[in-house]
Amino acid sequence: MSNKNIKNWQKLSPPAKLFHYLGMFLLTRTLGQQFALFWSAITSLFSKSRSFKTDSRNIIMQTFFTGVEIFPVLFIVATLFGTVTIIEVITMMGKMGFDDIVGNLIVIVIIRELGPILTAFLIAGRSGSSLTTYIGSMVINSEVDALATMGVDPIRFLVMPGLFGGCIALFFMNIIFSTSAICVGYLVVKAVILLTGNIINIQLTWNYLSTEILNALTLSDFIYIVIKPLVFGAIITTNACYQALNIPRDVRQVPKATSKSVIKSFLYVVCADVVLSIFYFVDYMNNISTII
């Protein structure tokens, strides 16, 4: 450290020194490095060397890759999940005499919790792993170094489109998942009732189901419909890019980095969901108290 730097350091107040040590500590940890990568990708969008045409094209391509190509699998999973949820909730609540909280349970299970999580899991397992493999292969083949040599920022060219494209795709896929689970799930339940002669013994109409769900929706649900997918998308894509950029220069490490990316994305998504759920934990308790 030069004499000038030493003098500047001595002039810092104790709180400033504390934040400096805290920042240095976080940057030596995985989560801190991932947050730094996330912040670098955000700020790279506003750099002087940005190209709106190139950046927008890359983001659109990443959005298409993350969202549109996973739609068939997501639609099938959402339909089956919604069908089972509707049947189980209506059957269980009907036997217990709590028909008036069917909408609350469906909103909690599909819209608030498992819908966003399952959507994030599908995208992490498919698109997140592909992103890690793609960038990791570029790292091993020295293509990332070549981009930097040519004056192209690898963060802006590779990480930023993945981050924004992943967040946008996850937002729309989450809405599609919940809509498919409820609407198409309802149609499948009605088909089951028609084909089996109502062997499951439930009475279900669209007017009843839609009214119960709309009455159960609150302002916090609409807020988290936006917040949760964006948070999950940022977590999945940032983690995928981080695992790829830090891969050892060995082609045998690509599968390991890919599996590590998926597993850690699952863990981070669940942890983030727990943290976000705390903010409407009181609402959950009110719903449980109505059941009891």
Side-chain angles (χ1 to χ4, degrees):
M1 185 180 294
S2 64
N3 293 332
K4 184 178 179 181
N5 291 333
I6 293 175
K7 291 180 180 179
N8 291 334
W9 173 256
Q10 292 174 346
K11 292 178 181 179
L12 293 176
S13 62
K17 292 181 180 180
L18 178 62
F19 281 114
H20 172 78
Y21 283 123
L22 180 61
M24 294 302 296
F25 173 78
L26 292 176
L27 288 177
T28 60
R29 299 297 185 270
T30 300
L31 289 178
Q33 294 172 359
Q34 290 187 2
F35 180 79
L37 179 63
F38 166 79
W39 184 252
S40 298
I42 296 293
T43 55
S44 67
L45 187 63
F46 307 98
S47 63
K48 294 181 180 180
S49 60
R50 66 183 181 273
S51 172
F52 177 79
K53 183 178 180 180
T54 302
D55 292 340
S56 59
R57 183 178 68 249
N58 291 338
I59 291 174
I60 291 173
M61 290 177 59
Q62 187 62 46
T63 303
F64 179 85
F65 170 76
T66 304
V68 176
E69 294 188 2
I70 203 175
F71 174 77
V73 176
L74 183 137
F75 179 79
I76 294 173
V77 173
T79 300
L80 297 177
F81 174 70
T83 302
V84 173
T85 301
I86 292 173
I87 293 176
E88 291 291 340
V89 168
I90 293 180
T91 303
M92 181 177 64
M93 292 299 100
K95 291 180 180 180
M96 298 176 62
F98 296 115
D99 295 324
D100 55 333
I101 62 169
V102 167
N104 289 324
L105 287 178
I106 291 179
V107 167
I108 290 174
V109 173
I110 295 179
I111 298 178
R112 290 187 189 177
E113 292 299 334
L114 294 184
I117 289 180
L118 289 177
T119 304
F121 281 3
L122 288 172
I123 289 182
R126 190 263 182 188
S127 303
S129 61
S130 299
L131 188 61
T132 303
T133 304
Y134 170 67
I135 299 179
S137 299
M138 293 183 66
V139 171
I140 291 176
N141 295 327
S142 300
E143 295 179 49
V144 175
D145 295 335
L147 288 174
T149 302
M150 292 186 296
V152 178
D153 183 7
I155 301 298
R156 184 176 63 83
F157 187 75
L158 297 174
V159 180
M160 185 274 294
L163 175 62
F164 282 90
C167 291
I168 294 171
L170 193 51
F171 171 75
F172 286 106
M173 289 300 103
N174 178 57
I175 295 177
I176 292 174
F177 186 98
S178 299
T179 304
S180 301
I182 295 173
C183 298
V184 185
Y186 162 79
L187 295 177
V188 174
V189 173
K190 293 295 288 186
V192 171
I193 293 174
L194 181 63
L195 294 176
T196 61
N198 199 13
I199 192 174
I200 54 180
N201 193 27
I202 63 173
Q203 302 298 325
L204 179 64
T205 64
W206 175 248
N207 182 60
Y208 165 74
L209 183 64
S210 60
T211 302
E212 288 292 320
I213 292 175
L214 291 175
N215 290 337
L217 285 171
T218 62
L219 179 61
S220 62
D221 293 318
F222 290 101
I223 293 175
Y224 280 97
I225 284 174
V226 177
I227 292 178
K228 274 194 173 183
L230 295 181
V231 172
F232 293 166
I235 289 173
I236 293 170
T237 53
T238 302
N239 176 64
C241 295
Y242 174 81
Q243 300 298 336
L245 292 174
N246 288 275
I247 191 172
R249 296 299 180 91
D250 185 354
V251 69
R252 294 172 297 180
Q253 299 297 323
V254 175
K256 294 182 180 180
T258 301
S259 61
K260 188 177 180 180
S261 169
V262 174
I263 293 172
K264 285 201 170 185
S265 292
F266 287 176
L267 176 62
Y268 293 159
V269 165
V270 173
C271 292
D273 182 72
V274 171
V275 173
L276 292 173
S277 298
I278 293 175
F279 292 97
Y280 49 74
F281 182 73
V282 175
D283 187 31
Y284 280 173
M285 291 298 99
N286 292 334
N287 290 331
I288 292 177
S289 64
T290 59
I291 297 176
I292 297 176

